[in-house]
Amino acid sequence: MGIESGSETQNDPLAEIPKSRWERLWPVMACGAGLFSDGYINNVIGSVSTMLGKIYGTEYTGSSSQKNISAITFAGTVLGQLVFGYTSDKWSRSNSLLLSTVILIVFAALGAGSYGAGGSIQGMFAALTAYRFLVGIGIGGEYPAGSVACSEASGELKSGTRNRWFILFTNVMIDWGFVIGAFVPYLLVVICTEQHLRAAWRISLGLGVIPPLLLLWLRIKLQEPEEFKKESMKYVKIPYWLVIKYYWKRLLAVSAIWFLYDFSTYSFGIFSSTILTNVMPADAPLSQSFGWNTVINLFYVPGAMLGSLFSDWVGPRYALAGGVLAQAVVGFIMAGLYPHLAKPENVAGFAVVYGIFLSLGEVGPGDNIGLVASKTCATGVRGQYYAIAAAMGKIGAFVGTYIFPYIEKAGGSNTNASAQYPFYVSSSFCVLMAFIVLFCLPHIGQDTITKEDIDFRHYLEAQGWDVRQLGLVQGETVDSRASAQAAQVEAITEKKE
């Protein structure tokens, strides 16, 4: 594994490219903001599932559909991440992102219109499950294509602010997606009332089409990031064995952190309305449960926004470790005090403490895991490296949504124990994440992307790989490039003379 020093390089070629502030900033926004769809589509399904249970009763809750509809998106996301991770390195960052946007639009719309043959209820559940899987593929493309391009574009911004801009247009967007994904069902239940939940759940899913539609125009105009143009391996055979030898330990650490984080955060997000139902009066209306769910999800945003500044101040590594340790403390306290917090008259206190627990998760891994994954690998294989780490995260989310109900059931008839166990498990994971971060991850500075490419070049040279192949364009060879460069130098010399 390459060793990174804590010092910043004096020469920052990406920051010296002659561009206006807006020219530097809008690609960061266009590449990263699509992750809003990830937050919205994954969080809204929790409330939609609750509505489906109210409408269809045991026909829904007694079948495998309840688990499948909530969790199948993660399977599609994993496939999308791996496929688009490869295409973003070997085809195009911008084109991969555009394709994933189109997939999001099409299958978010189809999901809202799910229909079973002959009006079959189980057929409708099967159709919704299939569309949720396919929309997951589009979400998956947002990670390696969007976040990786976003991190590379952020390298052109002012040093000292790069982490916050990356976070504001990636994780903060996911968190706003969580908030809106909780608020929209609440609003629709209030408007439609509980007598018209069929309209409410379909509109909730259908509104997921709007965010990618708004981004489509910006993404059509996107160019490849400057760093990708210089360091890509699009038209050469990637030396995978050398890449694995250099990065395997680092990739394993990043993947483990992402797995543990998503195991907890997506499970808590999807089941938060269910958790709230357990602490609220039995006769409480559905809109009240959804309303408190929105309040809880709002806590994601301040944690993420403050965490973006914290990441620039102390660096992603220490921000990540500090965030998860603080979350572990709150989680253990919450588990211990749950019998008191769970009383119906204390639902406001429960929502606040639970919200702080989620907020601290954003200060730490929520904000910084994507940053770490996108900046600890060289540009030529960054899409695939990021895709594997992110896919491990979604596998964690997939596993978590299936296991979460069993962790609750482990408490048996003791309702307090059933609610305490998930917090004990999640807080223990937080301690493990902090250990991995502090002992397995390198320093990550403002110029890490540029420095990582330099270090990887040196490593490849030492292994006998011809680094002149990096950045070759279609139809170009090392010799033809050398000839063109020699002719260019000669023309400049003649002009000076």
Side-chain angles (χ1 to χ4, degrees), residues 84-126:
F84 283 102
Y86 181 80
T87 62
S88 67
D89 281 339
K90 295 297 289 181
W91 177 38
S92 164
R93 300 272 202 259
S94 57
N95 290 336
S96 296
L97 193 54
L98 192 59
L99 180 57
S100 74
T101 308
V102 173
I103 292 172
L104 268 175
I105 293 168
V106 171
F107 291 106
L110 288 174
S114 297
Y115 180 76
S120 162
I121 300 301
Q122 292 302 323
M124 182 189 72
F125 293 154

Side-chain angles (χ1 to χ4, degrees), residues 476-494:
E476 187 180 39
T477 64
V478 170
D479 291 337
S480 66
R481 174 191 276 184
S483 299
Q485 289 174 339
Q488 189 177 18
V489 170
E490 186 178 345
I492 292 171
T493 304
E494 290 177 359

Side-chain angles (χ1 to χ4, degrees), residues 242 245-246 454-467:
L242 296 180
K245 285 200 298 180
Y246 192 72
I454 294 170
D455 290 347
F456 190 60
R457 274 178 173 263
H458 291 162
Y459 165 75
L460 290 177
E461 280 185 310
Q463 299 296 316
W465 197 82
D466 189 356
V467 296

Side-chain angles (χ1 to χ4, degrees), residues 320-333 356-357 360-361 363 430 434:
L320 205 166
V324 291
L325 285 175
Q327 189 183 27
V329 171
V330 174
F332 283 127
I333 292 172
I356 291 171
F357 173 79
L360 288 169
V363 173
C430 286

Side-chain angles (χ1 to χ4, degrees), residues 26-43:
W26 83 261
V28 178
M29 177 180 69
C31 291
L35 287 173
F36 178 94
S37 295
D38 178 28
Y40 182 87
I41 288 170
N42 279 315
N43 202 37

Side-chain angles (χ1 to χ4, degrees), residues 201-223:
W201 78 259
R202 289 187 184 276
I203 296 170
S204 294
L205 291 182
L207 290 174
V209 171
I210 295 175
L213 268 177
L214 294 175
L215 280 175
L216 188 62
W217 179 76
L218 278 178
R219 290 180 167 183
I220 289 172
K221 298 170 62 179
L222 270 180
Q223 301 295 316

